[in-house]
């Protein structure tokens, strides 16, 4: 006789880590079928998101040739694990990078080999089909293996159709625009959508997913006005995000007039849209501000979170993006995109210290992901 009712088993199992569940699939056929069931996969994911358990900090080696990637528990920064990367990192080839994370899936981009959806927890990977030649042959490529302003990427989830999607914008050789294609996991196909109505002259980060849309920073094509814009994954419509005050009431730099900034990148911090403002032209002090939109779509909810002086910060902040809050909410992890060492910023006393994970590379790009059983295909 079972020591507890059978209907309690799913409720118990959905609280366990993915590694344990993968081992438990071998206990019996019913357990294996249960753990593979789509309803159980959703329950397990919901439980992890609700309790904030199974949250990992992914460490992507941005400075060395390394076929492995790494992850630690985000709260403790312990329990280092390593994974074989979906794309190899040969010296003569481009390195891959993570372009987004959602529900435990990571989208990985390699300039020569393409894009893959990867679940590090289950070690499963799905390589996306290639684009049609009429689009790829018109791509105005730029030499290099890091970010460039002719290939713009984003990854997210259409919660209306329950479909994971990848957006790829390619600068056209023959037209003054970005040709845009969108990949659907459900159909395993790319499809051309409307051209992007914005230019992206400088690209320091991949798109940020929140509220069923992927967001970037760019310029209006006619006016050149610097904006935050999004692409809704269901309607496939582009839209501008209302911006906050252009002049801060509390000018920590001490300048009487300090309006001239540009948006460097957009991200998601604590479930809110955030953006980095670059004040390289400040007459007093070269600095960066990070602002958070506490209520999505509400202009008045933009709040200045932190101020970074380039002269005083512990690492390079040219491409700075916010990765996540510490569990107590008093610190923010900041990342420069892989060329520098990430660092913590203390919101209370404005102190800082570098992120150091024993056994892991130091110069990494970081992203938060939750362990899950979500399928890559």
């Amino acid at each position: 006789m079972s020591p507890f009712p059978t209907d309690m088993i799913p409720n118990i199992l959905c609280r366990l880590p993915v590694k344990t569940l993968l081992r438990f699939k071998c206990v019996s056929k019913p357990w294996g079928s249960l753990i593979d069931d789509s309803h159980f996969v959703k329950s397990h994911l919901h439980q992890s998101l609700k309790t904030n358990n199974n949250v990992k900090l992914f460490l992507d080696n941005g400075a060395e040739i390394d076929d492995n990637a790494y992850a630690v528990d985000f709260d403790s920064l312990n329990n280092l694990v390593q994974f074989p990367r979906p794309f190899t990192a040969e010296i003569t080839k481009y390195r891959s990078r993570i372009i987004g994370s959602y529900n435990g899936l990571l989208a990985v981009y390699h300039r020569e080999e393409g894009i893959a959806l990867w679940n590090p927890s289950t070690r499963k990977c799905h390589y996306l089909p290639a684009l049609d030649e009429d689009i790829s042959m018109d791509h105005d490529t730029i030499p290099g293996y890091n970010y460039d302003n002719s290939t713009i990427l984003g990854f997210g989830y259409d919660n209306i159709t329950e479909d994971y999607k990848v957006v790829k914008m390619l600068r056209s050789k023959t037209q003054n625009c970005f040709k845009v294609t969108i990949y659907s996991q459900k159909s395993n196909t790319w499809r051309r959508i409307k051209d992007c109505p914005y230019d992206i002259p400088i690209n320091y980060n991949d798109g940020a997913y929140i509220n069923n849309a992927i967001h970037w920073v760019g310029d209006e094509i006619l006016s050149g006005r610097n904006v935050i814009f999004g692409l809704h994954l269901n309607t496939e419509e582009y839209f501008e995000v209302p911006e906050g005050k252009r002049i801060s009431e509390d000018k920590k730099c001490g300048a009487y007039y300090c309006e001239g900034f540009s948006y460097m990148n957009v991200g998601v911090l604590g479930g809110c849209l955030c953006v980095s403002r670059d004040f390289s032209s400040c007459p007093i002090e070269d600095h960066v501000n990070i602002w958070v939109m506490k209520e999505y779509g509400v202009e008045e909810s933009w709040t200045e979170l932190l101020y970074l002086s380039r002269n005083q910060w512990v690492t390079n902040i040219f491409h700075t993006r916010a990765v996540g809050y510490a569990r107590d909410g008093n610190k923010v992890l900041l990342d420069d995109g892989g060329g520098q060492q990430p660092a913590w910023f203390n919101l209370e006393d404005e102190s800082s210290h570098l992120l150091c994970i024993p056994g892991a590379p130091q110069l990494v790009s970081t992203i938060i992901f939750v362990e899950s059983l979500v399928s890559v295909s």
Side-chain angles (χ1 to χ4, degrees):
M1 179 180 293
S2 174
F4 44 80
T6 305
D7 57 3
M8 288 183 60
I9 293 176
N11 192 36
I12 295 171
L13 293 182
C14 75
R15 288 164 166 74
L16 300 178
V18 170
K19 185 176 181 179
T20 303
L21 291 172
L22 294 178
R23 291 203 306 265
F24 281 5
K25 287 177 66 174
C26 302
V27 169
S28 66
K29 286 186 177 180
W31 277 39
S33 298
L34 168 65
I35 293 168
D36 285 336
D37 182 76
S38 60
H39 295 293
F40 178 82
V41 171
K42 288 181 181 179
S43 297
H44 179 266
L45 175 63
H46 175 74
Q47 179 69 19
S48 295
L49 295 174
K50 183 177 73 173
T51 60
N52 210 29
N53 290 332
N54 302 321
V55 177
K56 304 294 181 180
L57 181 66
F58 191 87
L59 310 170
D60 197 22
N61 195 339
E64 303 171 6
I65 303 302
D66 191 346
D67 283 338
N68 292 313
Y70 306 81
V72 291
D73 296 337
F74 184 52
D75 287 341
S76 66
L77 300 181
N78 293 324
N79 302 318
L80 178 71
V81 295
Q82 65 181 41
F83 316 92
R85 301 169 67 98
F87 300 105
T88 57
E90 299 174 21
I91 262 180
T92 57
K93 293 194 174 184
Y94 302 111
R95 293 191 292 271
S96 61
R97 72 172 190 264
I98 307 300
I99 64 174
S101 165
Y102 196 73
N103 287 349
L105 295 189
L106 303 180
V108 190
Y109 169 71
H110 188 285
R111 184 162 179 173
E112 289 184 342
E113 302 298 329
I115 299 175
L117 293 183
W118 180 33
N119 185 328
S121 305
T122 63
R123 306 298 202 271
K124 300 293 185 181
C125 185
H126 172 66
Y127 296 91
L128 276 55
L131 291 176
D132 292 338
E133 281 195 7
D134 63 330
I135 297 174
S136 58
M137 293 298 289
D138 188 39
H139 184 199
D140 188 14
T141 57
I142 295 176
Y145 55 74
N146 209 343
Y147 297 97
D148 68 70
N149 64 351
S150 66
T151 306
I152 309 300
L153 302 162
F155 172 62
Y157 180 70
D158 182 348
N159 55 32
I160 297 173
T161 61
E162 298 186 337
D163 193 7
Y164 294 91
K165 295 183 176 181
V166 176
V167 174
K168 191 171 189 179
M169 304 186 191
L170 301 179
R171 189 182 295 276
S172 171
K173 289 180 182 177
T174 57
Q175 303 173 40
N176 184 29
C177 69
F178 280 99
K179 293 182 177 180
V180 184
T181 56
I182 190 165
Y183 169 83
S184 160
Q185 185 201 52
K186 280 190 171 181
S187 66
N188 193 34
T189 57
W190 291 94
R191 182 170 51 83
R192 178 84 182 273
I193 63 171
K194 288 186 291 187
D195 295 343
C196 179
Y198 302 94
D199 187 25
I200 304 178
I202 301 174
N203 178 32
Y204 295 124
N205 205 14
D206 296 303
Y209 171 80
I210 188 172
N211 208 50
N212 216 35
I214 302 177
H215 304 74
W216 297 268
V217 294
D219 295 344
E220 284 187 334
I221 290 178
L222 294 179
S223 69
R225 185 171 64 92
N226 196 214
V227 299
I228 306 166
F229 73 93
L231 171 64
H232 196 281
L233 289 182
N234 186 257
T235 64
E236 297 175 357
E237 295 292 334
Y238 300 92
F239 60 93
E240 282 188 30
V241 176
E243 65 175 344
K245 295 179 181 178
R246 295 193 67 86
I247 302 178
S248 174
E249 295 175 359
D250 179 20
K251 303 181 187 68
K252 292 184 180 180
C253 62
Y256 175 75
Y257 180 80
C258 191
E259 182 185 0
F261 68 84
S262 60
Y263 292 119
M264 296 300 290
N265 57 57
V266 66
V268 177
L269 181 64
C272 297
L273 193 69
C274 68
V275 69
S276 298
R277 290 181 172 185
D278 177 77
F279 287 87
S280 301
S281 59
C282 174
I284 302 297
E285 182 176 59
D286 188 354
H287 65 278
V288 167
N289 293 133
I290 292 181
W291 286 65
V292 175
M293 192 181 217
K294 294 192 171 180
E295 186 176 350
Y296 186 83
V298 178
E299 178 181 345
E300 294 76 17
S301 73
W302 280 108
T303 303
E304 185 177 343
L305 179 69
L306 57 88
Y307 172 101
L308 297 175
S309 164
R310 281 201 173 94
N311 293 328
Q312 299 174 7
W313 185 237
V314 294
T315 184
N316 182 27
I317 60 171
F318 189 59
H319 305 160
T320 297
R321 62 185 179 89
V323 178
Y325 290 107
R327 194 175 187 90
D328 61 9
N330 293 329
K331 295 188 299 183
V332 178
L333 182 63
L334 302 177
D335 189 324
D336 187 58
Q340 300 289 328
Q341 197 168 351
W344 289 101
F345 180 89
N346 190 305
L347 295 171
E348 293 185 340
D349 60 16
E350 300 186 351
S351 62
S352 59
H353 64 274
L354 294 170
L355 176 72
C356 295
I357 308 293
Q362 299 303 308
L363 306 184
V364 294
S365 177
T366 57
I367 194 168
I368 293 173
F369 79 100
V370 60
E371 284 192 333
S372 81
L373 294 161
V374 172
S375 174
V376 297
S377 60

